[in-house]
Amino acid sequence: MTFSVIRSARSMVRPSGPTPSGVLDLSFIDGMPALRTKVRALHVFRHGQEAAKVISEALSKALVPYYPMAGRLKESSQGVLQISCTGEGIWFVQASANCSLETVNYFDNVGMTPNDKLLPDQPFEANGMDPLVQMQVTEFTCSGFVIGFIFCHAICDGLGMAQFLNAVGEFARGLQQPSVAPVWLREIIPTPPRLLRAATGPTPRRPPPPSSPPLTMPDYKLQHATIDISPDGINQLKGEFLELTGRTCSTFEVVAACLWSCRTRAIDFKRGTQVKLVYLANGRHLFNPPLPKGFYGNCFFPINVTVSSEALSQASIAEVIKLIQEARSRELIEFTKWLDGDSGEAGADSYAPSVIYSRLVVSEWGRLGLNQVDYGWGRPVHLVPIEGSTIAPVAIIGYPPTPKKGIRLMTWSVKGAHLPCFLEQMMNLGLDGSGVSLGLLRSASL
């Protein structure tokens, strides 16, 4: 049977009550050119009666405390990105599919998921600016449903996106207000002094960020790969690391180290190539005092780990984990340097998408809270990130669909010619709990 979706209704969902008007400033991080992008993902739910109706009404209620979400992006006369609180609403599409979720295996196969049918189509013109949030609820014959959502990255990061969706879920379950009150406070994130010094004339409160240099587009398309890692495999590597070093390590550190190491070996870079791992650290707790609970703006910080390709290829997984841990121990120092305008490679340019093949960006979705959203029928059985680029090497660490356990690694990080070797390298690590020991891998000084 051919999978098909019929979109039956389209509308702008507006706040259910009065909301403030006016213009709000975004933070320096919000306004980075690289964040004027859209984050796309699918939430798959096993059950839900009249899901589109319930979620639409809950969205309308949530847009009262989260009224900036119902506004539109604008630029000031100085080119500074802002939010115009117009109350125009978010784009909402109702749709139905011609099969059950079981028939499509709950979209377990990420690479074969029909994103074009499950994500909302083009919204109506809204003064030339798209809504900041767009959603489509597709109901299936089994009473299950899929939410395809598109968020403008400039208004929130992954934690903020999850906070908003969890608030929608609380309204859908009958709560009268969200358990976590939203906090705007974008002005609490200071603009680096070097940009304030560079501003001409009277110092603006929020000067425009520097423009990213033009990118040279590569002539390849990165291939998708999904790798499920069992709890036993992860625990085995954690145990071996503890035995070898006397230190504990996190699941993120294990998975990132295995991915980075295997990818580098598979590609076999030219001798002398500097390979870079970039992960996105949450900066909320790095402020003094920490940002208030409920802050939903962008507050992540790129941390760079750099080493030669030959050293990384020869290193044991334990040594690569230690390298990542050393970078994590420097987060506060690097974040403070960035705020002071002395950030080096961890500065503003790190936010820009990179098409450099030797640079890999790893994003951890499993701890954002997106897998905890509940509209009244339980949490999603699957969260499906949708790649934003086929030329910028990226990996996302999340969870496989329930009832599977462990970690799901989704990557768009290698060319087709390197994919078989990359998958073989990952398999050879014995991440199912039955393969190579960390201590048997070759060691090199990093």
Side-chain angles (χ1 to χ4, degrees):
M1 180 178 65
T2 301
F3 175 72
S4 66
V5 169
I6 297 176
R7 295 181 174 96
S8 56
R10 299 168 175 84
S11 63
M12 287 290 181
V13 175
R14 293 179 169 82
S16 61
T19 58
S21 58
V23 175
L24 293 173
D25 286 337
L26 289 166
S27 75
F28 168 74
I29 301 177
D30 293 331
M32 294 301 300
L35 298 188
R36 300 191 190 188
T37 56
K38 296 176 180 178
V39 178
R40 304 180 301 163
L42 305 176
H43 257 154
V44 183
F45 292 84
R46 196 181 301 275
H47 302 293
Q49 297 294 328
E50 296 188 306
K53 178 177 182 294
V54 170
I55 293 170
S56 175
E57 292 175 354
L59 275 170
S60 184
K61 294 176 182 177
L63 286 176
V64 175
Y66 284 91
Y67 66 91
M69 294 284 199
R72 298 293 183 266
L73 288 178
K74 69 178 292 289
E75 284 190 354
S76 71
S77 58
Q78 296 174 325
V80 178
L81 199 64
Q82 299 173 316
I83 296 293
S84 179
C85 299
T86 61
E88 292 174 77
I90 72 172
W91 180 240
F92 190 81
V93 179
Q94 299 182 47
S96 59
N98 66 336
C99 64
S100 67
L101 283 170
E102 186 177 10
T103 302
V104 293
N105 200 22
Y106 296 90
F107 298 107
D108 191 0
N109 190 337
V110 177
M112 298 296 291
T113 301
N115 305 327
D116 59 326
K117 298 179 181 179
L118 296 172
L119 289 169
D121 55 1
Q122 185 66 29
F124 301 137
E125 285 293 324
N127 297 324
M129 296 297 292
D130 284 344
L132 298 171
V133 183
Q134 304 169 38
M135 298 181 70
Q136 176 174 310
V137 177
T138 304
E139 299 178 345
F140 286 72
T141 59
C142 57
S143 83
F145 63 98
V146 172
I147 299 180
F149 55 85
I150 302 174
F151 270 80
C152 177
H153 210 324
I155 197 170
C156 62
D157 59 13
L159 288 167
M161 178 169 58
Q163 180 180 310
F164 173 69
L165 291 177
N166 275 291
V168 176
E170 290 177 332
F171 280 111
R173 299 198 308 272
L175 275 70
Q176 298 304 305
Q177 59 185 11
S179 58
V180 177
V183 175
W184 184 257
L185 277 184
R186 305 302 168 100
E187 66 276 9
I188 204 170
I189 298 181
T191 300
R194 59 188 171 83
L195 293 179
L196 289 172
R197 289 193 297 269
T200 58
T203 302
R205 182 162 171 258
R206 192 70 67 203
S211 299
S212 301
L215 299 175
T216 301
M217 295 296 108
D219 58 357
Y220 57 75
K221 180 179 180 180
L222 298 172
Q223 300 300 305
H224 171 258
T226 295
I227 302 165
D228 286 342
I229 305 173
S230 71
D232 289 343
I234 293 170
N235 290 333
Q236 174 187 318
L237 296 181
K238 285 183 177 180
E240 291 174 359
F241 182 78
L242 178 62
E243 183 178 348
L244 287 167
T245 67
R247 291 155 46 178
T248 60
C249 62
S250 68
T251 296
F252 168 80
E253 290 160 355
V254 167
V255 175
C258 291
L259 165 66
W260 193 27
S261 179
C262 290
R263 179 181 184 269
T264 302
R265 291 193 183 107
I267 294 173
D268 192 20
F269 289 102
K270 181 180 177 182
R271 185 173 180 80
T273 300
Q274 294 293 299
V275 292
K276 182 180 296 185
L277 177 75
V278 182
Y279 72 88
L280 307 176
N282 177 19
R284 286 164 170 78
H285 64 290
L286 299 177
F287 283 91
N288 187 18
L291 294 187
K293 185 177 181 181
F295 179 86
Y296 62 103
N298 285 285
C299 195
F300 66 92
F301 181 62
I303 297 292
N304 296 267
V305 191
T306 306
V307 68
S308 71
S309 59
E310 54 265 35
L312 187 64
S313 296
Q314 294 170 10
S316 71
I317 298 299
E319 288 173 311
V320 182
I321 292 174
K322 288 169 64 177
L323 194 65
I324 295 172
Q325 286 187 336
E326 289 169 4
R328 300 190 83 177
S329 71
R330 299 194 306 268
E331 286 180 5
L332 178 57
I333 296 173
E334 294 298 325
F335 193 62
T336 302
K337 287 168 61 178
W338 179 82
L339 291 177
D340 290 340
D342 181 24
S343 52
E345 67 174 354
D349 289 346
S350 292
Y351 286 92
S354 173
V355 296
I356 301 173
Y357 199 41
S358 58
R359 183 178 186 262
L360 173 66
V361 177
V362 179
S363 180
E364 188 177 20
W365 280 45
R367 300 177 65 181
L368 297 177
L370 290 169
N371 60 326
Q372 299 173 2
V373 179
D374 182 356
Y375 298 102
W377 307 284
R379 297 177 178 180
V381 297
H382 197 192
L383 170 62
V384 185
I386 298 172
E387 80 281 5
S389 171
T390 58
I391 56 176
V394 171
I396 295 174
I397 299 175
Y399 297 118
T402 55
K404 294 180 180 180
K405 304 293 184 182
I407 292 294
R408 168 159 289 187
L409 179 61
M410 291 155 283
T411 80
W412 297 265
S413 63
V414 294
K415 304 174 187 177
H418 297 139
L419 182 59
C421 186
F422 167 63
L423 294 176
E424 182 181 0
Q425 290 282 344
M426 291 293 290
M427 290 291 290
N428 287 343
L429 285 178
L431 291 173
D432 59 354
S434 63
V436 185
S437 163
L438 286 174
L440 295 179
L441 294 176
R442 285 190 296 167
S443 176
S445 174
L446 294 178

